Amino acid sequence: MRNRLSSILAVLLLTGNVVADDAPGLGMPLSAQDQADLPAVIMADGSGLPDGEGNALLGEQVFQDKCMICHGPRGMGGSALELVGDRALLATAYPDKGIAVYWPYGPPLFDYIRRSMPPSVPYSLSNEEVYAVIAYLLELSDLLESGAYLDADRLSMIRMPNRDNFTEVYQPVK
Amino acid sequence: MRLIKKSSVAATPSETEKSKTPSATSHRRQFIKRAAGVVSLGATGTATQLAAEKLPESWQVPGGDFSNYGQPRTAIDSPIRWVSADRSLSGDGVSWTPLHALEGTITPNGLHFERHHNGVPVIDPARWQLTIHGAVKQPLVFDLNTLHRYPMTSRISFIECGGNSNSLWHPTPAQAPTGYVHGLVSCSEWTGVPLSVLMDEAGIDKNARWLIADGYDASGVAVSIPMDKILDDTLVALYQNGEPVRPENGFPARLLVPGWEGIVNVKWLRALRASDVPQMSRFDTVSYTDLQKDGSIERFSFEMGVKSVITSPTAGDTLSQHGYHQISGLAWTGSGQVSRVEVSTDGGNHWIEAVLQPPVLDKALTRFRLPWRWDGAPVTLRSRAYDSNGLAQPDRATLLENRGTNMYYHYNAVVVFSIAADGSVRHVYA
């Protein structure tokens, strides 16, 4: 594909049209300020997580107000995906795909919940509320003690128990 | 029942069959008689001589008006998408391409399948921007007018949702026509700017092996795509079958990642962030991953497998005539070109090579056909595809043996239709 494009551009050059470069070069440089204004990309290692913190007590309140209607009480039995499940059931006929087994990293929970939840008003929770609701869900998943709080550092340090159980089908070209 | 040999593909129906079936000519005569009758009723006493001449009615009245944008004929049996969305969240769901009601290989734009995670966003093209940032030498922004000045290229390519056909992981076969089971695949001519050109302009850092892409919709969809694939054949698609990409397919720009599961073909494209590692977003590691028999989970399973389905006849049809029928279907593969499609009409004991309709294109839907005579006895029809990469479509038992039943995506097993003595067609697993 790249070779084919180069040859198209080479033809332009030969026919005498004014194409000084072999690339259009029309992109507008992004200023440092514009870069700083971009919504953060939150990575698996926690880079991009915002300041602030939230605890599981507030998280329970947020969950009951805004999440339970679809995800069910304590993250089970709702119309939306199950959030809390039995980790032992993964290799059975009826697996539970809760957060504890299906999320290999903690920080992407922040990214996804902030951007998409609740779906009727996405990107409406405060950073404190997002940290809090994650703390509550990880408490229900037996990954945090009762009443624990989360911030960027603490969320990044959580080792999700099923992390090493993922295999990658795609293998990069050498 | 017997299969027609390839050499007799173009043969006309036999004399015995003609005697059983009213000919097209006699059908037309009946139609014209009826039409002429209507005309003579409406023109009593003025032009009765027209009835004798058996003119088509439409010769005698002016036709309809021009239109700015043509619409398909609407009738009870017009091809439509079936929609299945979350009852409490109408923007989360799918609509299927009615593959069984279409022919050829190109999907009409209004019938391209949809998978939205939180609805179709309203985007003002005058304010749309694409940002390339992260591990690049010069972060760049492109507006739509600028992007339209770049060299473009076109390719015909399918897009298939990773979850296509996934009802068939269940133990009972779905009784719906082909498109409403397998129609999360569509094929279009996509035109746009090779993403490699834009990435080269930004200057990719040496260690940036991934590109994290997201869109302007409210779903939080973000995916990590290997840079190798981005530089190989990924397009920023601006046109779909010659017209601007439809809103439900990503207007004003979407990624086309040929042969790879639908989710990475990001619609309403917003930002591309080069990175040395994948983001491990929800869409990298939770959805679009597959639970295996041993409890391990496969992720980054981008490439769609080799697959074929018969589109005619299909579940819900009733064959009312014995004799000549045409088996017609679609085959595709994410790893290259379809090299061969075989059809069996005897439970998989014998396989006959179907005719592939040219052009057979890389990572595009390929039409196959096989003329066939039905003798009226119960029968099963099935197809299996092979590709240029040496892959073969598995039968269902083999797929389940290898993969278990906890998979959700990437179902590509052989599909079987049974035809009963009364002509009714059902989907079966046998």
Side-chain angles (χ1 to χ4, degrees), chain A residues 82-105:
Chain A
E82 204 146 60
L83 302 176
V84 178
D86 186 337
R87 273 182 253 167
L89 296 178
L90 210 49
T92 66
Y94 299 97
D96 271 1
K97 297 182 179 177
I99 289 172
V101 293
Y102 241 78
W103 287 76
Y105 303 92

Side-chain angles (χ1 to χ4, degrees), chain B residues 7 40 46 50 54 97 120 151 159 174 242 262 269 372:
Chain B
S7 57
S40 63
T46 54
L50 292 179
K54 297 174 183 171
T97 295
V120 178
I159 297 178
L269 189 61
W372 164 67

Side-chain angles (χ1 to χ4, degrees), chain A residues 1-2 4-6 8-9 12 22-31 34-35 37-45 47-48 69-70 79-81 89-99 101-105 107-109 111-123 162-174, chain B residues 86 88-89 118 129 131-133 138-143 146 149-155 194 196-197 200-201 204 209-210 212 214-215 217-222 226-229 231-235 260 270 273 275-283 285-287 289-302 405-408:
Chain A
M1 166 101 26
R2 299 173 101 183
R4 210 186 315 145
L5 269 174
S6 317
I8 292 168
L9 292 163
L12 285 176
D22 68 349
L26 303 172
M28 295 164 282
L30 197 62
S31 72
D34 288 343
Q35 287 184 59
D37 289 345
L38 288 174
V41 176
I42 297 171
M43 303 294 287
D45 66 2
S47 61
I69 187 168
C70 294
S79 61
L81 287 181
L89 296 178
L90 210 49
T92 66
Y94 299 97
D96 271 1
K97 297 182 179 177
I99 289 172
V101 293
Y102 241 78
W103 287 76
Y105 303 92
L109 281 163
D111 180 61
Y112 181 66
I113 293 170
R114 183 171 67 171
R115 289 185 64 168
S116 69
M117 292 292 140
S120 54
V121 272
Y123 232 117
N162 210 27
R163 180 176 299 175
D164 296 332
N165 205 21
F166 285 76
T167 58
E168 312 206 338
V169 177
Y170 176 81
Q171 295 299 320
V173 180
K174 289 288 170 213
Chain B
D86 189 321
S88 56
L89 180 62
N118 200 0
Q129 287 189 324
T131 302
I132 296 178
H133 66 126
Q138 176 59 64
L140 294 172
V141 174
F142 298 86
D143 62 25
T146 304
R149 291 168 61 192
Y150 275 71
M152 294 192 202
T153 186
S154 299
R155 72 171 292 160
S196 61
V197 174
D200 283 351
E201 187 174 324
I204 310 161
R209 308 298 298 267
W210 295 85
I212 300 162
D214 74 358
D217 61 320
S219 68
V221 169
M227 194 66 83
D228 295 332
K229 180 68 172 175
L231 299 180
D232 178 27
D233 61 359
T234 298
L235 286 185
W260 283 21
R270 182 194 72 96
R273 184 183 199 259
S275 170
D276 57 345
V277 290
Q279 184 182 11
M280 300 298 184
S281 73
R282 185 216 161 165
F283 299 88
T285 66
V286 183
S287 7
T289 64
D290 277 309
L291 184 54
Q292 304 298 302
K293 274 198 297 195
D294 62 0
S296 69
I297 302 165
E298 283 190 350
R299 69 177 166 220
F300 300 132
S301 46
F302 299 117
T405 54
N406 286 338
M407 295 270 289
Y408 186 79

